[in-house]
Amino acid sequence: MDYQAVLEEVAAHARPFVRQGRVADYIPALERVPADRFGIAVADIHGEVYGVGDWEVPFSVQSISKAFSLALVMGQSHDGHDDIWRRVGREPSGTPFNSLVQLEAEDGIPRNPFINAGALVVTDRLQTLTGDASTSMLHFLREESGNPDLAFDQAVADSEAEHGDRNAALAHFMASFGNLENPVPSVIEHYFWQCSIEMSCRDLAVAGGFLARHGLRADGSRLLEAREAKRINAVMLTCGTYDAAGEFAYRVGLPAKSGVGGGIIAVIPGRCTLCVWSPGLDARGNSVAGAAALDHFTTLTGWSVF
Ligand code: DON
């Protein structure tokens, strides 16, 4: 497969969609990103990387971090020996990523680890397991991406904390059901920090390689059992793009995780990991040009999981 040629064609297809949608502004620091950015990268399972456009420009990972926090929790507490799946479900929510409505009827157990409520539970667990959830994620991402310069963006973390009433409400509500192990201020702080990490398409495609390598890290050591990597990919497919996950599976047919920074990672198990970035979002919080690009990638290559 000539990845570079495929990416050029995908980028040309996606160009008309760039600037469509809206750059996220509910976290004011995110609004400063130029809407005309577009980048895409592919990392194959051997670590070869290809990219087009703004593929080396760092952006705010936001909810893409939720795939990595889940992997870190699962990696530290193998199957059946952790209670994470008693505290968070594995069903699509069908509601917006920051919705409160299901939590009361479902006793403070979030539908899945990729909506904000579920990610707060996972971050809480990672905090218990590591003593410093956000720093352990940053170190993991530096190692897996091979980029020692990865860092938090303090302005984004502060901006999110200043406008973080919704996430604080989700966390307090779950705490009232006994579904947090750590104090709410500490959980939301680590969650905001993990979301603020800045990475490029290149960094994310490489760092997500373990999801395509059935759980093996870049250095060949094992983060996850193959069945655990499969489970994360399955939950990405069904829940990774929120209330648009059905449409995304229909169009793209790959496990994927999006973020309101405009990035989306997607996994082709056994082959490669992709990351695409363009800041304009649709009403559900997914990058418009990013989704168009991944749609075209699977059309050109025939590489969906179906
Ligand atoms: O908690 C939030 O609202 C953001 N830090 C992350 C949300 C997000 O990326 C959802 N994405 N589509």
Side-chain angles (χ1 to χ4, degrees):
M1 174 67 65
D2 185 344
Y3 281 112
Q4 196 64 36
V6 170
L7 292 186
E8 304 278 355
E9 201 173 330
V10 164
H13 173 86
R15 279 276 162 218
F17 297 93
V18 174
R19 289 181 160 281
Q20 288 189 21
R22 285 190 58 203
V23 179
D25 57 5
Y26 78 101
I27 302 170
L30 292 179
E31 201 184 4
R32 296 197 292 259
V33 180
D36 60 356
R37 295 297 171 96
F38 176 88
I40 184 167
V42 178
D44 74 12
I45 53 168
H46 310 294
E48 292 292 325
V49 199
Y50 309 83
V52 166
D54 299 312
W55 68 294
E56 291 171 299
V57 177
F59 60 89
S60 193
V61 302
Q62 293 300 314
S63 287
I64 298 174
S65 64
K66 293 169 182 170
F68 293 100
S69 52
L70 179 62
L72 288 176
V73 165
M74 288 176 75
Q76 295 204 23
S77 40
H78 286 288
D79 258 47
H81 302 292
D82 195 273
D83 62 354
I84 192 69
W85 296 118
R86 277 197 283 272
R87 298 175 52 197
V88 61
R90 304 188 286 254
E91 290 295 343
S93 70
T95 55
F97 64 81
N98 57 2
S99 174
L100 277 150
V101 293
Q102 285 164 343
L103 272 182
E104 181 165 24
E106 299 180 3
D107 298 331
I109 308 291
R111 277 285 173 100
N112 68 68
F114 295 151
I115 50 174
N116 288 9
L120 287 161
V121 169
V122 174
T123 298
D124 176 58
R125 186 71 193 133
L126 192 59
Q127 179 66 11
T128 302
L129 290 168
T130 64
D132 188 340
S134 52
T135 306
S136 60
M137 182 181 303
L138 181 64
H139 287 157
F140 173 79
L141 292 171
R142 283 179 180 162
E143 281 178 25
E144 284 313 285
S145 67
N147 182 354
D149 299 327
L150 296 187
F152 301 116
D153 183 328
Q154 174 141 18
V156 170
D158 289 349
S159 179
E160 183 158 6
E162 263 169 53
H163 298 82
D165 292 325
R166 179 69 72 106
N167 284 319
L170 290 167
H172 279 292
F173 199 61
M174 290 189 293
S176 78
F177 284 96
N179 199 12
L180 288 185
E181 297 169 336
N182 296 281
V184 167
S186 150
V187 174
I188 59 177
E189 186 185 337
H190 282 280
Y191 170 80
F192 295 152
W193 281 112
Q194 80 179 44
C195 289
S196 84
I197 295 172
E198 293 260 297
M199 295 173 76
S200 65
C201 292
R202 180 225 157 265
D203 297 329
L204 277 162
V206 176
F210 67 90
L211 291 169
R213 286 188 299 266
H214 308 296
L216 289 185
R217 294 184 61 166
D219 66 2
S221 65
R222 187 166 284 290
L223 174 68
L224 300 168
E225 298 300 328
R227 64 179 177 277
E228 294 170 324
K230 182 221 59 175
R231 289 168 182 165
I232 295 177
N233 283 326
V235 181
M236 285 170 65
L237 180 86
T238 53
C239 310
T241 46
Y242 312 106
D243 42 339
E247 176 70 11
F248 205 88
Y250 180 89
R251 285 178 66 191
V252 178
L254 292 176
K257 184 72 207 81
S258 59
V260 293
I264 309 175
I265 61 166
V267 183
I268 306 180
R271 281 193 200 270
C272 59
T273 306
L274 294 122
C275 180
V276 61
W277 171 54
S278 194
L281 306 179
D282 63 21
R284 276 112 156 226
N286 298 309
S287 168
V288 176
L294 292 172
D295 183 347
H296 200 60
F297 184 91
T298 54
T299 301
L300 283 178
T301 58
W303 289 354
S304 86
V305 296
F306 299 108

